[in-house]
Amino acid sequence: MQTLLTTANDLLLRPSGLDQAALSSVLSGMMTHNIDYADLYFQYSRSESWGLEEGQVKSGSFNIDQGVGVRAVSGEKTAFAYSDDIHLDALQQAAHATRAIASLGQEKIGHSILTRSHNPLYLPQDPIASLSADAKVRLLEKLERFAKAQDPRITQVMASIAAEYEVVLVARSDGIMAGDVRPLVRLSLQVIAEHNGRREQGSSGGGGRFDYSYFTDDVLQDYAQKAAHQALVNLDARPAPAGSMTVVLGNGWPGILLHEAIGHGLEGDFNRKGSSAFSNMIGQQVAAKGITIVDDGTMQDRRGSLTMDDEGNAPQNTVLIEDGILRGYIQDTLNARLMGMGLTGNARRESYAHIPMPRMTNTYMLNGDKDPQEIIKSVKKGLYAANFGGGQVDITSGKFVFSAAEAYMIEDGKITYPVKGATLIGNGPDVLTKVSMIGNDMALDSGVGTCGKEGQSVPVGVGQPTLKIDGLTVGGTSA
C-alpha cells in the first residue's frame, strides 16, 4: 500500500514541480528572520453532497479545492498567508508575506527534511468513488422508503449524503514532513409526522472516516426507526414544565452539552489568555468525584479522529478531568510552548486558508458504575432529556442554553409522558459539580458532529453515559 506521505507527494507536490528540497529552501528562507517556528500546510480536497426531498433528489454539489497555507510564529505573534496556487513562485510570495511579524535578527539554521509516518486510523480511500451516481440516488430513495414504512403518519422525508476526500501534507521548520489521506462521509435524515392537524419532526443520521459502503440496509433501517420514533413521540408530547429540577441526560449525543459547555473551556488558547472558566485551575477539583473526561483523537474510523493533526503531530488520548480533578488542556504547538505544557496533537484547521488552533477531536465522559434504570428510579420528579437539538454557550462564563429534541417527565422513578419545548439552562463548570450519578452505558454519537470556533468548522465526536444532574434550570412552555 502506498504510504500516506507518498500519496500526498504525488497529489500535491509533483504536479507543481515541487520536491522536498524546494520546501526546505522556502522554510530556510523564512527562518533567516527572527522566527521561532514556521510551517507549510498543503491540502487537496474533493467533496460532494446529494439531497432528497419530496421523493426526488433535488440538490447536488461537487467541489474541488487545493492550496497551501504558510505560517510563521514569533513569540506570541503569528503571521499567516495562503494561496490556491501551489507552484514555487506563489509559495515564496506567501512565505515572504509572513516575514512582517519579525524584526531583523540573528539568522537561524534551517533543517533538512525528515519524513514522519503515523499509524493510520482509517483507510486512505476515496468515498466519492465508492458508489456510482445512480447508486447514490438509489440509496437516498431506499432511505425514504424505509422512513415512510415506519408509520403512516410520516408524511415527509428529507435526506442527504455527503462525502469528502482530503489529502494533506505538512512541512515544518524543524525538519518534519508528514502526510495524511482523510475520507469522511455523513448521512442526515429528517422526517415530518402529522396527526390531527399537528406536525412534529424527528432526525437521525451518522457517518465517519470510511466510504458509503458503511450505509447498509440495517444501518439505514436504524436511522429511519430513530427519526420516526422521535417525530412520533413529539406528536404526543405535552408542554414541558419550567423551573429548577433534577435532570437525567441520555447517553451518546447528549454529550454535545459536555462538548460545548465544558470542552471549549479546556482548549489551550482560551486558558493561556485567561478567558476560560477553567484558567489556572489545573490540579483543582472542578467536577464531582467520579467524573473523568477525555479527548481522544486516536479512535479507529471515528468522525473526530485524525491520523495526524494539522501540524503533523500524532493525536493522543488526553485526560482532561480525572475523578473530578482538572489534569490538563487541549493543546496545539503555539499554546503548548507558551504555556510550558506538552503537546496533545489537537491542532486543527478547516482548510489551508485557515490558521490552526487547539480544537477537540472525540470528547467524552467515561463510564460510572450505575445502571441507567437505577438512575431513573432515584428521581422523584424530573426531566429525562434523551436527545438534544441545538444550543449556545459563552466560553468565558460557561453559561449555556440547550434545547431537548426528545424529552420525558420522570415521576416516582418512572418515565411517564413525553414533553416538548424543554430547554436546559446552566453553567458548564457548575453543572459538573451537580452530577450525582454516572451510568455504566457510555456511548459515542453516531458520527454527525461539526464544531464551530472563530469561523472555522471541523468534524468532531462526542459521548457520555447516562447522567443525573441535581438542580438544573429547565425552561419550559407549560402555562
Side-chain angles (χ1 to χ4, degrees):
M1 181 187 294
Q2 270 195 320
T3 67
L4 301 179
L5 189 56
T6 300
T7 301
N9 264 310
D10 290 346
L11 198 54
L12 288 164
L13 300 185
R14 287 199 176 93
S16 302
L18 295 173
D19 55 21
Q20 293 183 10
L23 303 190
S24 182
S25 174
V26 171
L27 289 166
S28 295
M30 295 172 69
M31 298 303 289
T32 59
H33 291 69
N34 191 24
I35 301 295
D36 297 315
Y37 171 88
D39 60 20
L40 311 173
Y41 180 87
F42 297 86
Q43 179 192 35
Y44 168 88
S45 67
R46 286 188 285 119
S47 59
E48 69 168 6
S49 65
W50 300 69
L52 176 144
E53 191 172 352
E54 297 179 335
Q56 295 182 327
V57 175
K58 292 186 174 182
S59 63
S61 66
F62 182 79
N63 184 65
I64 299 177
D65 196 14
Q66 70 173 19
V68 58
V70 181
R71 180 176 61 145
V73 178
S74 177
E76 294 187 19
K77 298 181 294 183
T78 298
F80 179 71
Y82 66 91
S83 172
D84 59 5
D85 184 350
I86 297 182
H87 289 85
L88 183 59
D89 287 347
L91 191 58
Q92 289 173 331
Q93 289 176 22
H96 180 77
T98 64
R99 297 178 185 171
I101 68 165
S103 58
L104 291 173
Q106 182 178 1
E107 181 173 329
K108 296 191 177 182
I109 298 173
H111 297 268
S112 58
I113 295 290
L114 300 173
T115 59
R116 171 184 286 181
S117 61
H118 299 279
N119 293 323
L121 299 177
Y122 30 81
L123 295 176
Q125 55 195 350
D126 180 0
I128 296 174
S130 65
L131 278 184
S132 68
D134 287 344
K136 292 167 188 174
V137 171
R138 290 196 298 271
L139 187 152
L140 288 169
E141 291 174 340
K142 181 188 295 182
L143 180 59
E144 182 193 39
R145 290 197 303 273
F146 287 169
K148 285 194 170 181
Q150 297 294 316
D151 193 281
R153 290 171 291 177
I154 302 296
T155 58
Q156 293 183 47
V157 176
M158 290 75 73
S160 66
I161 54 173
E164 182 177 19
Y165 174 70
E166 180 183 20
V167 181
V168 299
L169 184 147
V170 178
R172 308 187 330 205
S173 57
D174 62 0
I176 296 297
M177 186 165 78
D180 194 11
V181 178
R182 301 170 177 170
L184 189 66
V185 294
R186 174 176 168 169
L187 183 150
S188 300
L189 172 66
Q190 183 179 13
V191 302
I192 303 293
E194 297 185 52
H195 186 65
N196 291 336
R198 183 169 174 176
R199 291 164 51 95
E200 298 291 347
Q201 68 177 30
S203 62
S204 67
R209 294 200 178 277
F210 30 70
D211 65 21
Y212 285 128
S213 64
Y214 174 79
F215 300 120
T216 63
D217 283 6
D218 287 344
V219 170
L220 297 183
Q221 287 278 22
D222 181 59
Y223 293 159
Q225 188 276 327
K226 288 176 178 175
H229 170 78
Q230 189 179 107
L232 296 172
V233 162
N234 285 327
L235 277 180
D236 297 324
R238 308 178 197 175
S244 179
M245 65 186 74
T246 299
V247 174
V248 176
L249 301 181
N251 66 348
W253 178 247
I256 189 65
L257 189 152
L258 182 81
H259 168 103
E260 293 289 357
I262 297 153
H264 280 296
L266 298 175
E267 291 170 336
D269 48 354
F270 295 126
N271 287 280
R272 177 175 66 83
K273 298 170 185 176
S275 60
S276 167
F278 296 102
S279 296
N280 303 312
M281 295 188 70
I282 287 182
Q284 297 183 36
Q285 188 92 27
V286 297
K289 288 188 67 65
I291 290 181
T292 297
I293 298 172
V294 302
D295 183 86
D296 187 358
T298 69
M299 307 179 79
Q300 197 80 23
D301 294 334
R302 294 297 306 181
R303 180 173 169 85
S305 295
L306 296 168
T307 293
M308 69 172 203
D309 75 356
D310 289 332
E311 292 177 330
N313 296 309
Q316 298 178 21
N317 183 359
T318 304
V319 177
L320 301 171
I321 296 174
E322 183 179 29
D323 198 20
I325 305 295
L326 181 61
R327 295 301 186 194
Y329 301 126
I330 293 165
Q331 298 285 13
D332 63 354
T333 298
L334 171 66
N335 290 282
R337 174 175 61 83
L338 293 173
M339 297 178 75
M341 296 182 177
L343 281 171
T344 62
N346 285 88
R348 305 191 67 185
R349 62 207 299 172
E350 181 176 324
S351 76
Y352 69 88
H354 298 84
I355 199 164
M357 61 182 76
R359 304 290 299 271
M360 287 173 275
T361 55
N362 304 297
T363 311
Y364 56 96
M365 184 185 296
L366 300 191
N367 268 330
D369 60 357
K370 303 300 181 185
D371 184 281
Q373 291 305 312
E374 180 185 352
I375 295 176
I376 297 294
K377 288 178 182 178
S378 73
V379 180
K380 177 69 175 174
K381 185 175 183 179
L383 183 80
Y384 173 51
N387 217 330
F388 276 2
Q392 292 180 320
V393 63
D394 182 297
I395 302 299
T396 302
S397 67
K399 293 179 180 179
F400 64 82
V401 178
F402 273 88
S403 61
E406 180 183 346
Y408 305 82
M409 289 305 297
I410 305 173
E411 297 173 320
D412 296 321
K414 297 180 180 179
I415 293 175
T416 53
Y417 58 89
V419 295
K420 65 169 299 184
T423 57
L424 306 185
I425 304 166
N427 175 289
D430 181 55
V431 164
L432 283 180
T433 67
K434 294 182 177 181
V435 175
S436 59
M437 298 179 79
I438 304 171
N440 58 8
D441 60 340
M442 197 286 288
L444 298 168
D445 76 289
S446 59
V448 297
T450 297
C451 174
K453 177 180 175 181
E454 297 183 20
Q456 294 194 44
S457 296
V458 296
V460 297
V462 301
Q464 67 175 36
T466 298
L467 299 177
K468 178 183 176 183
I469 303 173
D470 297 326
L472 186 59
T473 299
V474 175
T477 55
S478 178

